[in-house]
Amino acid sequence: MSLYRTADQIKTMQIRGAGTIARAAAEALSEHAKSLDAPDIAAWKSEMQTAARVLLDTRPTAVSLPNAIHVVMQSMENAKTIPEARGAVKIAASSFISSSRNAVAEIGKIGARYIRDGFVVLTHCNSQAALACLLTAKEDGRDFRVIATEVRPWWQGHKTIQTLHDAGIPTDLIVDSAVRFFIKEVDLVIVGADAIAVNGTVTNKIGTGQIALVAHESRVRFIVAAESYKFAPETIHGKETLVEERDPGEVLSPGIRARLPSVRVRNPVFDQTPPGYIDLILTEFGAISPHMAYAIMRDHPGWQIQG
Ligand code: RUB
């Protein structure tokens, strides 16, 4: 698949979810490098930068995307010839993809330990890292139930319930606004992340902040499953995580909107949960307090956002 097609699929949500987007971008760069030709290495690198920019411009929130692109692009920095640069990009991309998959699996093992027999676990959206915790707990023989939200307007919850169903995990589907109604049944909330700021604030699918607030009110543990490339090092230097606002047509059809010209439809697709509402962040290096976000950025400085 061409890099431009991958970029289009990310933009149009055919490829979605922070980790999946990051792996798709790394793969796209590697494939692009394979067939890209240029008169000299400087021109080749500049073409690669243009291609990276196309990927970076697809969606603004998930920091896994610039972090993945950065590790791949950085690998070609010292290359003196085109074949050398191509080889470096290929190795960096495949190493990012495999370490990303390993990170999700490791988080799954850690997260599964927090799920006990008889638990009801609530999840929101469709996070591979959060699902890894649930699937590993099931593989470990744990007997528990999941409550999954629908996730308007893209219905990512439908993907989640399909996976849970296929794994034989008993699941209840609820509308997004029913979380407070059901919270008394819930023992644990596990969600994923698109970006984690230096102060431990977690950006994830719209609605996550409300769920965290409700969990906090009811003293239900709230856990975020997030690979280290979800941490946003540029927040150390004051850059804020951008929340993507998508087309109103995803929420209300143009026909209805045309009849209601005084109504503005807003469609932010992520929100921010402050660290005070988060009990733990599970990374591939272990469970941390959200207040330790800086330590992850300091100890694993490979992830840097491209400007
Ligand atoms: C997906 C979403 C997911 C995170 C984490 O939003 O918010 O919870 O990306 O997912 P969208 P993962 O569908 O708009 O991309 O753990 O798979 O990286």
Side-chain angles (χ1 to χ4, degrees):
M1 178 162 38
S2 85
L3 179 137
Y4 296 92
R5 198 161 138 68
T6 300
D8 188 59
Q9 293 196 342
I10 294 173
K11 208 178 239 174
T12 56
M13 306 271 288
Q14 292 162 71
I15 297 173
R16 41 144 305 281
T20 309
I21 289 172
R23 288 186 290 273
E27 178 67 32
L29 282 171
S30 177
E31 283 299 309
H32 190 69
K34 218 196 278 181
S35 53
L36 178 67
D37 229 335
D40 55 49
I41 181 70
W44 194 89
K45 285 182 181 176
S46 151
E47 291 284 338
M48 282 297 288
Q49 293 292 356
T50 307
R53 177 48 60 194
V54 170
L55 290 167
L56 280 169
D57 288 344
T58 51
R59 294 189 73 191
T61 301
V63 76
S64 50
L65 175 65
N67 280 346
I69 289 172
H70 179 74
V71 279
V72 175
M73 296 300 287
Q74 203 186 27
S75 71
M76 67 178 200
E77 219 159 69
N78 298 325
K80 304 265 182 303
T81 65
I82 294 174
E84 196 190 331
R86 245 186 223 133
V89 165
K90 185 176 174 202
I91 291 169
S94 82
S95 129
F96 174 82
I97 292 166
S98 63
S99 66
S100 156
R101 293 213 169 101
N102 291 340
V104 173
E106 197 51 45
I107 289 168
K109 285 188 212 156
I110 298 169
R113 297 186 189 119
Y114 291 90
I115 300 171
R116 309 225 177 92
D117 279 335
F119 261 27
V120 174
V121 184
L122 186 140
T123 192
H124 181 58
C125 200
N126 181 242
S127 155
Q128 300 313 302
L131 276 171
C133 302
L134 299 168
L135 297 175
T136 311
K138 176 68 183 174
E139 280 162 25
D140 291 351
R142 231 61 53 71
D143 180 17
F144 62 99
R145 193 160 63 85
V146 174
I147 296 182
T149 49
E150 285 180 309
V151 194
R152 282 268 293 151
W154 273 87
W155 314 107
Q156 284 93 336
H158 291 185
K159 278 182 178 273
T160 296
I161 59 172
Q162 182 68 59
T163 302
L164 295 169
H165 171 266
D166 293 348
I169 299 173
T171 301
D172 294 343
L173 176 73
I174 63 170
V175 298
D176 300 332
S177 47
V179 169
R180 192 163 185 270
F181 184 88
F182 286 109
I183 198 71
K184 289 282 179 279
E185 295 180 18
V186 175
D187 299 288
L188 177 67
V189 178
I190 305 183
V191 296
D194 285 85
I196 301 175
V198 67
N199 69 348
T201 294
V202 168
T203 303
N204 190 50
K205 181 51 57 193
I206 190 81
T208 303
Q210 283 178 186
I211 296 172
L213 189 61
V214 166
H216 184 75
E217 177 196 42
S218 298
R219 291 170 174 69
V220 172
R221 212 172 208 193
F222 186 94
I223 290 182
V224 176
E227 309 89 288
S228 59
Y229 51 84
K230 308 284 183 64
F231 288 75
E234 282 206 350
T235 57
I236 294 173
H237 307 291
K239 189 170 169 187
E240 293 192 357
T241 302
L242 275 179
V243 170
E244 176 183 12
E245 184 151 355
R246 294 181 66 89
D247 193 309
E250 293 177 354
V251 177
L252 204 59
S253 73
I256 299 178
R257 276 190 297 136
R259 294 200 297 275
L260 307 167
S262 65
V263 175
R264 181 160 63 131
V265 177
R266 303 291 307 272
N267 186 21
V269 295
F270 299 102
D271 68 16
Q272 277 149 349
T273 301
Y277 295 156
I278 299 165
D279 289 284
L280 283 174
I281 299 177
L282 308 182
T283 76
E284 66 271 33
F285 307 114
I288 60 160
S289 150
H291 301 290
M292 295 288 285
Y294 175 74
I296 293 285
M297 297 175 193
R298 183 196 57 206
D299 296 345
H300 305 282
W303 319 124
Q304 291 291 330
I305 301 173
Q306 291 223 317

